[in-house]
Amino acid sequence: MTAAFEVAGRIVADSAWIADWPLCQVRLMDDRRFPWLLLLPRKPGLEEWTELDDADLAVLAVEIKRAGEALGAVATFDKLNVGALGNIVRQMHVHVIGRSVGDAAWPGPVWGQGTRESYADGERGELVLRLQGYLAVSR
Amino acid sequence: MTAAFEVAGRIVADSAWIADWPLCQVRLMDDRRFPWLLLLPRKPGLEEWTELDDADLAVLAVEIKRAGEALGAVATFDKLNVGALGNIVRQMHVHVIGRSVGDAAWPGPVWGQGTRESYADGERGELVLRLQGYLAVSR
């Protein structure tokens, strides 16, 4: 029996599905303080960067780049932050975040800073569609 | 005239050279609170993940894995953290950090938490040599 890929409940609750890429599921973090995507390699049980083989790692690194470019197409920011921590939710997930001078956590990291602020429903839906639209034409 | 690769002064001051890999310079962060390597792609002027081409990204992702494995050979920890932030020092550098339940920043990120604690000279030198020795036999 092969275990299926599932997204951890806490990530499902805090983010919205955008796309399934060759390696990763792409999700929008539901935090209007920062333009923020999550990439989850679609491998059951995966926790650590070091568990991926070299071929998957090559895809992962390019998908991180592609996520950063997608954020840049829908938001303005000064610096991209990329992080794979997993101290709390162990399922491997890579954060790709657009940071701006003076944002809610600047210049520190976003994790554990302040409280997540959900998008309004219409605002989140519009951003999801803009990201999906960008990705559809940028393949 | 081609600009040479140079390591930002703040990174030089806070870390010790370990090795030059095909893409990255590898350095030990001089902070005994955490087993912590820095990877700096040896490209002048590089700041963002999205500035690297796909071939370099493939190498970067594998070098991150190799750094995590090297840390695992010289230290014990519960979770690997990988991060490329650059909000303060803009030169692109990837943190690869071994995290342990109950460490000085657990379960938060290490960046901006508390104060760096330098290794004693002998301790740092020994760890540098152990890392270099591991890397020499693991090629």
Side-chain angles (χ1 to χ4, degrees), chain A residues 23-73:
Chain A
L23 180 65
C24 293
Q25 181 169 122
V26 187
R27 303 182 65 91
L28 173 70
M29 187 70 169
D30 187 17
D31 191 336
R32 61 197 306 282
R33 299 175 302 161
F34 313 101
W36 184 344
L37 294 175
L38 296 175
L39 297 183
L40 293 100
R42 296 186 285 118
K43 304 266 185 186
L46 185 73
E47 296 190 353
E48 292 285 12
W49 192 285
T50 47
E51 293 167 7
L52 286 167
D53 66 26
D54 291 5
D56 282 336
L57 286 172
V59 177
L60 176 64
V62 172
E63 291 188 352
I64 290 169
K65 175 179 179 171
R66 197 170 167 215
E69 291 170 342
L71 281 181

Side-chain angles (χ1 to χ4, degrees), chain B residues 5-82:
Chain B
F5 168 71
E6 287 182 52
V7 178
R10 175 151 174 185
I11 293 176
V12 170
D14 291 354
S15 63
W17 183 88
I18 297 286
D20 283 324
W21 284 351
L23 179 64
C24 293
Q25 181 169 119
V26 187
R27 303 181 66 90
L28 173 70
M29 187 71 170
D30 187 17
D31 191 337
R32 62 198 306 282
R33 298 175 303 161
F34 313 101
W36 184 343
L37 294 175
L38 297 176
L39 297 182
L40 293 99
R42 297 186 285 119
K43 304 266 184 185
L46 185 73
E47 296 191 353
E48 293 284 12
W49 191 286
T50 48
E51 293 167 7
L52 286 167
D53 66 26
D54 291 6
D56 282 336
L57 286 172
V59 177
L60 176 64
V62 172
E63 291 188 352
I64 291 169
K65 174 179 179 171
R66 196 170 167 216
E69 291 169 343
L71 281 180
V74 300
T76 56
F77 48 83
D78 300 312
K79 186 70 191 69
L80 205 62
N81 284 184
V82 175

Side-chain angles (χ1 to χ4, degrees), chain A residues 132-139:
Chain A
Q132 290 173 334
Y134 168 80
L135 296 173
V137 299
S138 70
R139 278 167 196 249

